[in-house]
Structure formats: C-alpha cells, structure tokens
C-alpha cells in the first residue's frame, strides 16, 4: 500500500498517543475530523494499523518479572516449527515471540509474577520432546516499552 505524507503523519501521531481525537489528529495532519476518520478507517481496514493497544504497567497488575528466552528446537522440520508456533500463540504468559535466525530458533518475551511461576511455566511449556535447549535472561529493568515504528514523513 502506498502511504502519503498525511497517512504517515497520522500513523506517527497515533503511535505516540492513540487516544487523540479525530479532531486533534485532523489538526495535526491538516484534515477535517471526518476526513481524518476516513483515513484511519482505511488504514485499519487495509491492515496498516493492526491494533489499538495500551501499554500496561507490569507492576500494577502483579506481573513484575519479565524473562527473555531463546529456544532451540530439536529438529528444523516444518511440522515441529508450526506446532511450536501454535503453542506460543495459545500461551498468555508469552507476550511476544519471534522466529529468528542464528543460534536459536525462537526468542520469547515471557511475563511472570515471580521465579516460582517461571519455574512452573518452564515445566509446563518447555519440557516437551521437540525443544533441544532453552536459555533464559531475566530482565532487570525495562528501559523502553514501545511498539512504535520509525515512519518518515
């Protein structure tokens, strides 16, 4: 999809604050509120805007620990990879997951309340025959939490 300067301006604005009204967005982009609303609808319908989400404080909801885990599968077979991807999608503790190149096959971002919950999670999720190795890193401090992409206007 070709995005013009106005689309890019709107995308940058809603990535920073998706609670802006269409009137406020229109003012930023030089459009009427109605024209802005039509553009946003088109961007959502075309899949450019995939979701409108909130970044929630992990501490506020009792999930202060974040783990990054690199996963190596036993074999690189399509059925094993697909089965693992399906398991990841079904698991609410996994906030983000990436199928990657390099030493590992997947990198996961996992939210837990404490180490006891992470241990229970590992026993439930990682102890299946298709997983060869798991390396876990405990996040000491969340420096930046964003899904914003750099979009040139």
């Amino acid at each position: 999809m070709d995005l013009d300067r106005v689309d890019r301006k709107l995308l940058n604005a809603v990535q920073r604050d998706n609670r802006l009204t269409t009137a406020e967005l229109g003012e930023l982009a030089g459009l009427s509120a109605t024209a802005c609303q039509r553009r946003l609808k088109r961007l959502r319908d075309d899949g450019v805007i995939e979701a409108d989400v909130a970044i929630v404080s992990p501490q506020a909801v009792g999930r202060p620990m974040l783990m990054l885990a690199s996963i190596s599968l036993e074999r690189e077979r399509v059925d094993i990879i697909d089965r693992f991807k399906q398991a990841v999608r079904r698991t609410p503790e996994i906030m983000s997951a990436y199928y990657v190149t390099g030493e590992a096959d997947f990198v996961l971002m996992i939210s837990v309340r404490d180490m006891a919950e992470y241990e229970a999670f590992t026993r439930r999720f990682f102890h299946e025959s298709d997983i060869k190795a798991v390396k876990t890193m405990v996040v000491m401090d969340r420096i930046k939490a964003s899904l914003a992409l750099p979009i040139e206007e």
Side-chain angles (χ1 to χ4, degrees):
M1 174 179 187
D2 288 329
L3 301 173
D4 65 15
R5 184 186 59 75
V6 174
D7 289 335
R8 292 172 183 280
K9 214 178 247 288
L10 288 173
L11 290 170
N12 276 324
V14 296
Q15 284 190 119
R16 281 190 305 277
D17 184 357
N18 74 349
R19 295 183 307 164
L20 293 171
T21 66
T22 53
E24 291 168 324
L25 288 168
E27 190 173 314
L28 287 171
L31 298 172
S32 69
T34 305
C36 182
Q37 190 172 22
R38 277 195 302 270
R39 280 195 185 237
L40 288 171
K41 180 178 179 347
R42 179 179 48 80
L43 291 168
R44 287 183 177 100
D45 290 347
D46 291 346
V48 176
I49 297 176
E50 294 181 355
D52 291 290
V53 299
I55 297 174
V56 176
S57 164
Q59 289 79 10
V61 295
R63 302 190 72 79
M65 293 194 78
L66 188 63
M67 310 297 192
L68 301 176
S70 62
I71 312 301
S72 297
L73 299 180
E74 196 63 53
R75 293 170 294 285
E76 287 259 355
R77 287 191 353 225
V78 174
D79 62 321
I80 293 172
I81 292 167
D82 288 346
R83 191 168 47 248
F84 187 78
K85 286 179 180 180
Q86 289 169 0
V88 165
R89 288 183 188 108
R90 287 191 307 267
T91 306
E93 296 92 344
I94 300 174
M95 298 172 57
S96 296
Y98 303 93
Y99 181 39
V100 298
T101 62
E103 291 182 29
D105 297 311
F106 290 87
V107 175
L108 310 178
M109 184 174 15
I110 304 160
S111 167
V112 293
R113 288 182 191 89
D114 52 33
M115 285 304 288
E117 183 175 313
Y118 184 66
E119 181 183 0
F121 173 84
T122 62
R123 289 174 188 258
R124 185 180 80 248
F125 191 80
F126 293 142
H127 292 197
E128 59 177 65
S129 60
D130 295 332
I131 295 177
K132 178 171 57 176
V134 177
K135 292 182 183 174
T136 301
M137 295 172 278
V138 178
V139 174
M140 296 186 340
D141 186 15
R142 182 175 82 169
I143 308 301
K144 180 179 180 181
S146 174
L147 294 173
L149 295 169
I151 299 172
E152 291 182 28
E153 292 180 22

